[in-house]
Amino acid sequence: MLWPSCPLTLVTAVFQAIPLAVTMGAALFLGESVGWRRWAAILVGLAGVLIIIRPGAEGFEPASLLALVSVVGLGARDLFTRRIPQDLDTMQLSAWGFVAVALIGTVQLLSTGGALIPQGAEWWFLGGALGAGLAAYWWLTEATRVGELSVIMPFRYTRLLFALVIGTLAFGERPDAWTIVGSALVVASGIYTVLRERARARAARRAALPDAPPAR
């Protein structure tokens, strides 16, 4: 059974909850200490997600539930990526990620009636999408492995701006007021969570430093 398509802007807005999913996963499954402020921000962000997808309302898009499931999966991916040994090459890790996507795509094709053979310029579009996706996945994987999540995560919110522009110009989408309000809550809570995590990390580093010698 095929689900109806979901607006690009709505799906991207739900994706902005990934940093919150990472923080919640680190607390629940990795034993990371998360204070009440960040838990409050997570709850606000989840409320924003509910406002965006509006289950039970007239404008509810069933496909948005798939986007919500993907948030859980992408959040888990980020957590696991941080804990993969550094001697495993990033290109190899990215390749395995694409193999997993290909396998899942094959299963989807079998359940939806098979694939269509690209024609003419469609090959160029397909190749461009594949090349850009592979390069972006490599950069994201490398950044996640060597950088601080508190620095990397805010850049993901630019995805919403790109989605708004592309959705409006290419697909004629017009996000409603509820989607905008929910997106603002998700982004604001995510940014607060990231900044709070960064402040706690700085405080922990300062506490670990030995006392400075007295001035002479």
Side-chain angles (χ1 to χ4, degrees):
M1 175 181 174
L2 289 176
W3 285 22
S5 61
C6 196
L8 175 65
T9 307
L10 188 149
V11 172
T12 308
V14 175
F15 276 2
Q16 305 316 302
I18 293 175
L20 300 175
V22 171
T23 301
M24 186 165 57
L28 295 177
F29 304 109
L30 300 180
E32 181 177 318
S33 176
V34 175
W36 68 268
R37 294 179 181 85
R38 283 192 288 171
W39 275 115
I42 290 173
L43 293 177
V44 171
L46 294 179
V49 171
L50 291 177
I51 292 175
I52 293 170
I53 63 178
R54 298 189 293 281
E58 182 178 354
F60 171 63
E61 296 280 355
S64 62
L65 296 179
L66 295 178
L68 192 58
V69 172
S70 71
V71 168
V72 178
L74 291 172
R77 180 203 63 184
D78 288 344
L79 287 175
F80 293 147
T81 300
R82 294 286 292 183
R83 282 151 181 83
I84 292 176
Q86 291 296 324
D87 57 357
L88 182 63
D89 184 71
T90 299
M91 182 58 71
Q92 181 181 357
L93 185 59
S94 301
W96 279 113
F98 261 71
V99 168
V101 172
L103 292 176
I104 295 174
T106 301
V107 174
Q108 289 180 322
L109 286 176
L110 294 176
S111 64
T112 56
L116 298 177
I117 303 301
Q119 303 294 328
E122 294 174 351
W123 283 106
W124 291 101
F125 297 146
L126 183 61
L130 182 61
L134 181 59
Y137 196 83
W138 185 91
W139 287 324
L140 178 60
T141 302
E142 182 70 7
T144 304
R145 298 184 75 189
V146 304
E148 294 184 15
L149 288 180
S150 60
V151 177
I152 298 168
M153 287 298 179
F155 285 94
R156 294 192 172 183
Y157 294 119
T158 61
R159 181 186 300 171
L160 184 57
L161 298 178
F162 284 105
L164 286 171
V165 173
I166 295 173
T168 300
L169 298 180
F171 302 111
E173 297 178 0
R174 297 293 185 272
D176 57 20
W178 287 111
T179 300
I180 295 174
V181 170
S183 301
L185 287 176
V186 172
V187 171
S189 59
I191 291 177
Y192 174 83
T193 301
V194 168
L195 293 178
R196 181 66 183 169
E197 182 178 347
R198 193 185 230 176
R200 286 172 57 88
R202 283 200 302 264
R205 285 194 295 267
R206 285 197 300 266
L209 292 175
D211 294 336
R216 296 182 179 178

